[in-house]
Amino acid sequence: MKLLSQLLLFTSLTFPLSSFAALGEHPIILIHGFQAGQLQTKPNHDAVVADGKNYWQDYWLAKADDRIDWPSQERVAGKISTDYIWPKLQELSKNNICKNGCILVTHSTGDLVARHLLDNQENWLTNAGLTPLKIIATFDFAGAGGGSELGDLAINISEGSGYLNAPLKYAMSLWLGEVPSPKNTGVLNDLKVANARQIAALPDNRIPRIRFVGKGSDYVGSTSPFLLGKDDGVVASHSSCGASEAGNFNSCSINVAFDGKLSPQANAVTQFMPFHYPMLMGDDYSHSGLISSKHQGKITAVNPTLTLQDGSVIKVETTDSAYWLTGNVYRYVNNSENATMSELVSELL
């Protein structure tokens, strides 16, 4: 996949090439997702950092310049913010890492953590006498910014208000490794759909949130009955696409399906959260597969050309091909038969 028009010319950059950047001109900062095991282990700071490093080990760790690690046993606006986001923001500001403009690469609940960060970092740093970070975009894989119905179910079960039948118990055991209790919910409270959508719902910043979405499952489909519409095994498409409201959606696009078929999509997302732009979809890519080095099928483009709020244009190369038996036309990103979702996205950087 070629970038025909430089993706991240959101502002006119005249700085020299950053010595920090692992992939290109713009340093990459990773924000990982929910880690279920931490609800029980309740790791200390050093263990949280180690877990954060391991989270990205498969592909993105070597591509990044820094990470923001956080513990899943805490809340986004609580200790995640005060003990993990804020110290890292100070460090990044003092080191001037984002002078050329940083890109946040997030996965899953990292999308929600990033939204809280983006909504507050300028005020926090300015009030501390530090320079706010220049963040020019986020690349959000399997974004949980719209929450997950699994979070609602887990909290209901932990509070004794949810009916735990055999299929639900099995789904929870696969996702969390155990049945949740009141003592080990942590960030699951923020993953409740209504709660997630209240975090920085109307941001003042205009930073583009570029979305990469899957529809596979790591749990052989056992969690899908509890998620609205199409899902990746953990979050529904209303969340990963960046829809402005929860709903039973089958695509991020009104004219292309997850599998690349060009046809009207009756239940597609049509309204998005501010500055959220779904870009690529993979029919067979699971929640964790989106950031892995394992190939999980061809990838389609929600729009081959994407115009952002500031007028910048992203264009990716795609090919539309008719299937000779049916005449149906499918759109695939060039080279996605070989390259993974993460490999294709890293080319954008």
Side-chain angles (χ1 to χ4, degrees):
M1 178 171 61
K2 279 187 178 179
L3 195 61
L4 302 182
S5 181
Q6 185 90 21
L7 168 60
L8 294 166
L9 290 180
F10 300 112
T11 56
S12 179
L13 299 177
T14 57
F15 299 103
L17 184 67
S18 170
S19 60
F20 296 103
L23 277 178
E25 184 175 359
H26 306 293
I28 307 303
I29 299 173
L30 305 175
I31 306 180
H32 64 75
F34 171 63
Q35 300 189 78
Q38 291 182 340
L39 297 179
Q40 279 292 331
T41 62
K42 295 180 170 53
N44 61 23
H45 186 277
D46 289 346
V48 168
V49 172
D51 287 347
K53 180 179 180 179
N54 290 335
Y55 191 98
W56 298 102
Q57 189 74 46
D58 188 33
Y59 183 82
W60 280 99
L61 185 65
K63 310 292 183 184
D65 301 271
D66 212 330
R67 305 186 316 274
I68 298 176
D69 305 317
W70 56 273
S72 294
Q73 74 268 21
E74 303 294 349
R75 299 291 301 274
V76 170
K79 288 189 177 181
I80 292 174
S81 181
T82 59
D83 294 3
Y84 291 87
I85 297 176
W86 174 229
K88 179 58 73 170
L89 289 176
Q90 295 176 76
E91 176 187 324
L92 293 170
S93 178
K94 290 174 182 177
N95 291 337
N96 203 23
I97 288 179
C98 295
K99 66 177 182 180
N100 287 1
C102 283
I103 300 163
L104 305 182
V105 172
T106 81
H107 181 241
S108 190
T109 312
D111 168 29
L112 192 57
V113 173
R115 199 161 79 219
H116 179 68
L117 180 159
L118 294 172
D119 201 47
N120 291 285
Q121 68 97 8
E122 184 174 356
N123 286 336
W124 290 347
L125 289 168
T126 299
N127 290 338
L130 297 170
T131 302
L133 303 186
K134 184 178 184 180
I135 300 171
I136 58 176
T138 75
F139 281 14
D140 303 307
F141 292 89
S148 171
E149 290 76 12
L150 296 181
D152 288 81
L153 291 170
I155 296 300
N156 289 342
I157 293 168
S158 72
E159 294 174 345
S161 59
Y163 177 64
L164 189 60
N165 57 24
L168 179 54
K169 184 176 181 180
Y170 180 62
M172 285 290 120
S173 67
L174 289 178
W175 182 44
L176 300 178
E178 59 183 7
V179 175
S181 70
K183 295 182 179 180
N184 64 342
T185 54
V187 80
L188 288 174
N189 294 279
D190 297 307
L191 274 176
K192 293 178 64 175
V193 171
N195 291 351
R197 290 182 172 276
Q198 290 173 1
I199 295 178
L202 297 172
D204 291 329
N205 69 79
R206 296 194 170 193
I207 295 168
R209 309 296 309 274
I210 303 168
R211 323 288 286 180
F212 305 97
V213 183
K215 194 187 69 61
S217 176
D218 295 315
Y219 310 117
V220 294
S222 64
T223 54
S224 294
F226 308 103
L227 295 162
L228 286 176
K230 303 299 183 183
D231 66 89
D232 62 16
V234 175
V235 295
S237 55
H238 71 78
S239 183
S240 55
C241 294
S244 60
E245 61 182 10
N248 186 22
F249 301 116
N250 66 352
S251 177
C252 302
S253 167
I254 61 172
N255 53 30
V256 61
F258 265 97
D259 65 358
K261 183 180 178 181
L262 297 182
S263 62
Q265 302 297 300
N267 295 318
V269 180
T270 58
Q271 299 293 324
F272 296 89
M273 289 188 278
F275 315 112
H276 283 58
Y277 306 95
M279 186 177 183
L280 301 180
M281 300 189 300
D283 192 53
D284 297 317
Y285 277 83
S286 65
H287 189 74
S288 64
L290 286 163
I291 60 167
S292 82
S293 59
K294 182 180 179 182
H295 187 263
Q296 293 184 328
K298 291 184 178 180
I299 294 164
T300 191
V302 174
N303 289 293
T305 302
L306 183 62
T307 303
L308 303 179
Q309 182 69 25
D310 67 346
S312 300
V313 176
I314 308 169
K315 185 177 286 187
V316 296
E317 287 187 346
T318 63
T319 299
D320 295 353
S321 301
Y323 186 52
W324 66 275
L325 283 176
T326 63
N328 293 330
V329 178
Y330 292 81
R331 172 175 296 157
Y332 295 117
V333 175
N334 291 1
N335 196 39
S336 66
E337 70 274 15
N338 299 309
T340 68
M341 179 73 82
S342 284
E343 287 171 338
L344 292 173
V345 173
S346 69
E347 290 181 16
L348 298 176
L349 299 173

